[in-house]
Amino acid sequence: ICLCQLSVEGLSRAKSDVIARLLKDHNINILALQETHVAEADSPRLKIPGFILITSQHRPVIIHIGLEVPIITSAPITRWNLHSFMAAIEETIGCLPATPENFERFTKLLKKVAKKNIPCGYRSFFTLCWSPESETLLRESEASGDPDVATTLLESLDSARWLRWTEVMENMDFTHSSRKAWNLLRRLGGAAPAQHQTPSITANSIASQILRNSKTIASRSTKREVKTALQVSLTQCAPFSSLSETFSRAEIDTALSATKGGKAVGVDGILPDFLKNLGPRGHD
């Protein structure tokens, strides 16, 4: 935002045009105009093309523009207190039966306990490859004001970042099917363009074939035979099978151990780390 302050003596039409051209040439957004030779009753007649004049009797007004980030002066809280999280879940989950109807209550319980034991936060300041040596050089530069010290600080950061980049590139493993490595290579433009083959069977031909099959007129005898075969197959099915049984403790432990941590939440809004850090009663 560009701010301009002017003091004029008698604002006429010619002066208004000159000020308007001046503000337009210099991309001025706000004009603070001091005019002490015009009565308050005549102030509404003052006009500058392209601007809206707001009269004031020299009363300062503070306007906050943009986002205001509060300064946090309190001590940082230890994040991810998983021990208290597990203890709180173990204490309250006993009164919640393990039934499909209680799944929504289970997710609400996890979120409520997580809000108390796993506070959210952020790093207010982060510089890549910042080290204690960089902190020492910064303090020395602020105390002495020597530009050579500031240059040394920038050069040390550049060299550290170059070494970091070289180390990451050298440790990339392209011998296996590494999605991370090949995605990086593709973004850098070094991968060969993918060859897309046009299928011989198009989607329109499949849709037309399905449409023709759906319009087939079946006789009453055919419908009766299909219904009879369905009833026979349903009666021959076992009343209970392995697919209808509940999950065992071993299956749950195997699934949780195979789940990767640090991933995003799912549809239910639960992080995988919450489930991996449940106690014995939570797994049951």
Side-chain angles (χ1 to χ4, degrees):
I1 297 177
C2 296
L3 178 64
C4 178
Q5 182 179 3
L6 294 176
S7 178
V8 296
E9 183 178 351
L11 185 63
S12 60
R13 180 64 178 274
K15 291 182 180 180
S16 299
D17 296 338
V18 173
I19 293 175
R21 289 197 300 268
L22 177 66
L23 300 179
K24 183 178 180 181
D25 295 339
H26 293 80
N27 296 325
I28 303 299
N29 303 110
I30 300 176
L31 171 64
L33 185 64
Q34 182 180 359
E35 171 57 274
T36 58
H37 296 79
V38 177
E40 183 179 359
D42 298 334
S43 58
R45 295 186 301 175
L46 302 178
K47 294 182 180 180
I48 295 179
F51 281 79
I52 300 176
L53 295 183
I54 302 176
T55 59
S56 174
Q57 293 297 323
H58 305 285
R59 296 177 182 176
V61 179
I62 300 177
I63 302 176
H64 298 281
I65 301 176
L67 298 177
E68 296 183 4
V69 180
I71 300 176
I72 301 176
T73 57
S74 59
I77 304 175
T78 304
R79 301 184 62 191
W80 289 88
N81 192 354
L82 297 177
H83 295 287
S84 60
F85 172 78
M86 184 186 302
I89 292 294
E90 290 291 302
E91 182 181 356
T92 56
I93 203 172
C95 58
L96 191 64
T99 58
E101 293 78 11
N102 292 329
F103 178 74
E104 186 176 356
R105 296 176 59 188
F106 173 70
T107 56
K108 290 182 179 180
L109 174 63
L110 289 182
K111 294 177 182 178
K112 184 177 181 180
V113 176
K115 288 180 180 179
K116 294 182 179 180
N117 299 278
I118 305 178
C120 299
Y122 62 93
R123 288 186 292 184
S124 58
F125 183 78
F126 173 74
T127 303
L128 184 63
C129 296
W130 190 263
S131 61
E133 180 184 359
S134 304
E135 186 70 24
T136 304
L137 291 174
L138 177 62
R139 293 181 180 179
E140 183 180 352
S141 175
E142 292 177 348
S144 62
D146 189 0
D148 295 335
V149 179
T151 304
T152 305
L153 172 61
L154 295 177
E155 291 177 353
S156 64
L157 287 176
D158 292 340
S159 60
R161 290 168 183 173
W162 174 254
L163 292 176
R164 177 77 174 274
W165 171 259
T166 306
E167 181 183 358
V168 172
M169 292 297 101
E170 291 178 351
N171 292 333
M172 282 291 180
D173 186 11
F174 291 93
T175 57
H176 301 283
S177 180
S178 176
R179 182 180 301 177
K180 181 179 179 181
W182 287 107
N183 284 341
L184 177 61
L185 182 63
R186 190 178 299 107
R187 291 178 181 178
L188 294 177
Q195 301 293 335
H196 298 284
Q197 297 181 357
T198 304
S200 58
I201 301 176
T202 62
N204 291 334
S205 60
I206 296 175
S208 61
Q209 183 64 33
I210 294 175
L211 184 61
R212 286 195 296 268
N213 294 340
S214 62
K215 290 184 178 180
T216 303
I217 301 176
S219 60
R220 292 185 178 180
S221 59
T222 304
K223 293 181 180 179
R224 191 180 301 108
E225 292 177 0
V226 171
K227 290 183 179 180
T228 304
L230 178 61
Q231 292 295 334
V232 171
S233 61
L234 291 177
T235 54
Q236 293 178 354
C237 291
F240 299 100
S241 63
S242 59
L243 298 178
S244 60
E245 296 178 356
T246 58
F247 297 108
S248 62
R249 173 67 180 275
E251 292 175 339
I252 295 177
D253 293 340
T254 303
L256 290 178
S257 61
T259 303
K260 294 183 179 180
K263 298 298 182 180
V265 299
V267 181
D268 52 4
I270 301 299
L271 288 172
D273 300 87
F274 294 171
L275 302 177
K276 292 174 69 68
N277 289 278
L278 291 176
R281 300 180 65 180
H283 288 176
D284 293 337

